[in-house]
Amino acid sequence: MPVWKTFNAQWKLLLLSVIMLSLGSCGGDKEQEKPAAPDAPMYTLVFLDKTQSVHVDKAYVNDKYRQALTDIIENNMKNKGDKLEVYFIHENTSKARALSLTVRSEKDNVEGVNATDREGIETAFQLSLQKEKGIYLRQLLAKLNQQNTGASNQSTDIWASLPVIAKAGESGSEVKVYYFSDMVESVKGADRRDFHIKPPKSDSEAEQDAKEDVKQLEKYTIGSPQVTIVSPFEATASSKENNPHVTHYWQTLFQELGGVSVEEL
């Protein structure tokens, strides 16, 4: 066989090998491509203080709380399965679930659809979701304005929110916790805190109290929730009215329980 024919045959064989390798590589990439996993559901807990020391009938408090609740619905209720539960803070907080909401709107599968259809699917989903959010916000605001005239308004058991948070954490969802409260724990008993009678007078005293109380409360595995305190106090409130050491107590307590930071609004 002439040399040029041998060279031509070898060249064709080499070219065919390169093409096959390229095709195999492309196919491998496609096999490795996986659809993005959907976001894990959000689990939101809202604790509304229904004791005598928080007055939601005051214009400033009501406006601040309404706006905060509106933001929570808008930002935390975005996908199917996102959940929001409301508990009242009073004498029997852990048994005072007042509302449970779950997003039911679901976006249709957009895989393989063209841009126009994808936009239509997204629009339909957002319309359904906004309708749900409107209903949920009305229910939430009704709970905000619900009065508690019973004897349970004499005590403020914020400790009792911890087993509720721990249970939410068991769901595997991202947990966000909001306290609409002055955070003045007030429960009678030798092993309890009553900040109405004996509030912490300094940050060091608040830290000492919190570290002592952790011994009772560390049985609750709260995980790593995002905790926010929405206080009822105006920026001009005095330290006598809005005791900063009470806030420091809770910041220390949550830090000791699980390294959880607390934001105050």
Side-chain angles (χ1 to χ4, degrees):
M1 180 181 291
V3 175
W4 68 269
K5 286 190 176 180
T6 303
F7 177 78
N8 195 31
Q10 290 175 341
W11 172 251
K12 287 181 178 178
L13 183 60
L14 179 62
L15 186 60
L16 182 61
S17 298
V18 170
I19 292 171
M20 292 300 291
L21 283 171
S22 298
L23 290 174
S25 175
C26 292
D29 288 344
K30 286 185 177 179
E31 287 177 1
Q32 291 174 6
E33 287 178 4
K34 294 181 180 179
D39 293 334
M42 183 84 69
Y43 201 137
T44 302
L45 291 171
V46 171
F47 293 96
L48 297 176
D49 198 326
K50 294 294 181 180
T51 60
Q52 287 184 324
S53 61
V54 176
H55 303 283
V56 296
D57 53 336
K58 288 186 176 180
Y60 171 80
V61 179
N62 200 269
D63 289 346
K64 181 177 181 178
Y65 279 11
R66 284 174 64 92
Q67 185 58 57
L69 290 171
T70 301
D71 292 343
I72 289 169
I73 288 287
E74 186 61 33
N75 297 327
N76 294 9
M77 305 291 274
K78 291 182 175 181
N79 300 295
K80 184 179 180 182
D82 287 348
K83 188 171 187 176
L84 185 150
E85 290 184 341
V86 176
Y87 283 78
F88 288 160
I89 294 175
H90 51 47
E91 183 182 47
N92 194 20
T93 301
S94 64
K95 302 293 184 182
R97 191 174 75 176
L99 194 61
S100 181
L101 307 169
T102 304
V103 173
R104 306 198 181 282
S105 296
E106 185 174 12
K107 188 189 298 184
D108 290 340
N109 191 350
V110 296
E111 187 178 353
V113 304
N114 60 43
T116 302
D117 290 342
R118 185 180 294 111
E119 185 177 346
I121 289 170
E122 178 65 34
T123 300
F125 169 69
Q126 289 300 331
L127 286 172
S128 176
L129 182 61
Q130 289 304 319
K131 183 177 180 181
E132 267 194 284
K133 285 182 177 181
I135 295 169
Y136 292 165
L137 182 58
R138 287 194 294 274
Q139 292 177 302
L140 200 50
L141 294 178
K143 294 301 178 184
L144 170 66
N145 293 312
Q146 184 175 324
Q147 297 296 312
N148 178 21
T149 56
S152 64
N153 71 10
Q154 302 294 314
S155 298
T156 308
D157 191 356
I158 301 172
W159 281 13
S161 66
L162 296 176
V164 177
I165 297 171
K167 187 174 181 180
E170 292 172 1
S171 68
S173 298
E174 179 184 356
V175 179
K176 293 190 176 184
V177 181
Y178 300 85
Y179 290 100
F180 287 72
S181 173
D182 58 9
M183 302 303 285
V184 178
E185 178 85 1
S186 179
V187 179
K188 303 294 187 287
D191 58 348
R192 296 302 304 260
R193 296 287 170 194
D194 192 338
F195 288 153
H196 282 304
I197 295 175
K198 190 183 176 184
K201 296 182 176 63
S202 65
D203 278 356
S204 60
E205 185 179 332
E207 288 177 16
Q208 182 180 339
D209 289 347
K211 290 177 180 179
E212 184 179 318
D213 294 341
V214 164
K215 298 170 186 175
Q216 296 186 64
L217 302 173
E218 61 188 358
K219 60 186 175 182
Y220 303 119
T221 306
I222 64 170
S224 302
Q226 178 181 311
V227 178
T228 303
I229 297 171
V230 189
S231 79
F233 304 113
E234 297 189 54
T236 55
S238 66
S239 59
K240 184 178 180 180
E241 182 183 7
N242 181 15
N243 185 342
H245 310 307
V246 168
T247 301
H248 192 69
Y249 166 87
W250 292 108
Q251 290 171 334
T252 304
L253 186 74
F254 275 103
Q255 187 67 34
E256 292 290 321
L257 282 173
V260 178
S261 60
V262 177
E263 181 185 6
E264 185 176 18
L265 299 179

